[in-house]
Amino acid sequence: MSQKPKIIVSVTLPPDLRDRLAASCDIIDVPVGQRPEEVLSAETRAQVSGMVCTMKTKIDTGLLEALPALTVSSNFAVGFDNVDVAAATSRKVLICNTPRVLDGAVADVTIGLMLCLARNLVAGDAFVRSGAWTKGAFPLTRDIRGKTLGLLGMGRIGRVVARTAQAFDMPVIYHNRREDPEAKGLATYVGRDELFKTSEVLSVHIPLSAETRHSVGKRELSLMKPTAYLINTARGPVVDEAALIEALRAGSIAGAGLDVMEQEPLPASSPLCELPNVVLQAHVGSATHETRRAMIDLAVNNLLDALGGKQPVAMVNPEVWRARA
Ligand code: 8YV
């Protein structure tokens, strides 16, 4: 009988990392997005002590009860809105995630969406490819240089966006639950309404929670300038998409750049796909070879550290770890 801990792997692992896990754990594969109780027997599930999974695995009371011996779950993501953290904590299940290693990649997509919107780069590519250039010049667009960038949320990713925006001479303002001393010299703290009223580009960098769901809605959008752009690389449901579509159709804001949506994958039938003042990406903020490798390295290290009695680098509910000590 193997004494190695049994772990669920519900993420695609590079071969070298799979080998690394297999050297010290018994791997049980669960297809991404499927629930362990759908594919594993109760006997097998009762022996599982660790898991590495994506955002698609919903770690709720049902899953936690289906894995009674689970001690740690490592999210291959910085967001953890797939996890009922309170339920995990009450069951002393440590939750780990992958912060910091993806900050730059997500910030780059944020800046990219701003440039695509203001300079209309996506339409410009189609303009040239279609031969329309032979009939006349592409319409003038708008600078982002010198425009006020507003950040809703000033966490790690927000701070990287703010630093990057300095290269575009963009004055940066932000709103958080409280003023962030680390943002001093980088951005100016303003009230929430002022952020929406003043920003020429408003970028969302807050996590999804019951409190933040649809927190950018009709009221917030109505405060924005008709020349302003909304960028979302955080979580789709933070923005009330129906209200956003209404504002975009009415022209009460100039455009939106979205890497995340309420429904993912976004069907072609979505009204967002018909709007000319929208730039859409397929939730690719962290999706580079380099960043995803750094993330999966961190996710596997978190899992192995926790199982080996060593404090993981990134914990969502560190109180569970402290209680073990
Ligand atoms: C994941 C994400 O990075 O990290 C997050 O919170 O939003 C996602 O992009 C990606 O799905 C890899 O799990």
Side-chain angles (χ1 to χ4, degrees), residues 11 53-56 75-81 98 102 106 233-235 259-260 283-287 291-292 295:
V11 63
C53 64
T54 68
M55 297 285 303
K56 292 188 171 80
N75 240 27
F76 173 50
V78 64
F80 45 86
D81 46 282
T98 61
L102 50 58
V106 177
T233 55
R235 283 286 183 273
D259 185 41
V260 289
H283 199 151
V284 293
S286 65
T291 294
R292 287 288 173 85
M295 288 172 65

Side-chain angles (χ1 to χ4, degrees), residues 189-255:
Y189 184 79
V190 297
R192 191 171 186 275
D193 283 5
E194 185 180 348
L195 184 83
F196 284 96
K197 288 175 183 173
T198 310
S199 301
E200 289 287 344
V201 180
L202 188 289
S203 191
V204 177
H205 298 285
I206 56 176
L208 176 60
S209 65
E211 177 193 23
T212 66
R213 182 176 294 275
H214 282 195
S215 58
V216 179
K218 191 179 181 74
R219 176 184 176 280
E220 289 74 16
L221 294 166
S222 69
L223 295 174
M224 292 178 69
K225 298 176 179 180
T227 55
Y229 298 110
L230 178 77
I231 307 288
N232 191 3
T233 55
R235 283 286 183 273
V238 168
V239 176
D240 178 340
E241 207 161 274
L244 175 60
I245 290 165
E246 189 180 327
L248 290 163
R249 281 176 171 156
S252 63
I253 65 171

Side-chain angles (χ1 to χ4, degrees), residues 7-13 18 21 27-36 39 50-57 74 76 296:
I7 61 167
I8 287 175
V9 170
S10 193
V11 63
T12 303
L13 288 172
R18 188 175 178 88
L21 274 180
I27 292 176
I28 302 166
D29 289 300
V30 171
V32 172
Q34 289 207 352
R35 296 181 65 88
V39 297
M51 179 163 71
V52 56
C53 64
T54 68
M55 297 285 303
K56 292 188 171 80
T57 296
S74 183
F76 173 50
I296 197 66

Side-chain angles (χ1 to χ4, degrees), residues 35 37 45 58-67 91:
R35 296 181 65 88
E37 59 269 37
R45 286 189 273 112
K58 194 163 177 54
I59 301 176
D60 54 17
T61 303
L63 180 139
L64 293 164
E65 286 172 355
L67 301 173
R91 287 167 176 77

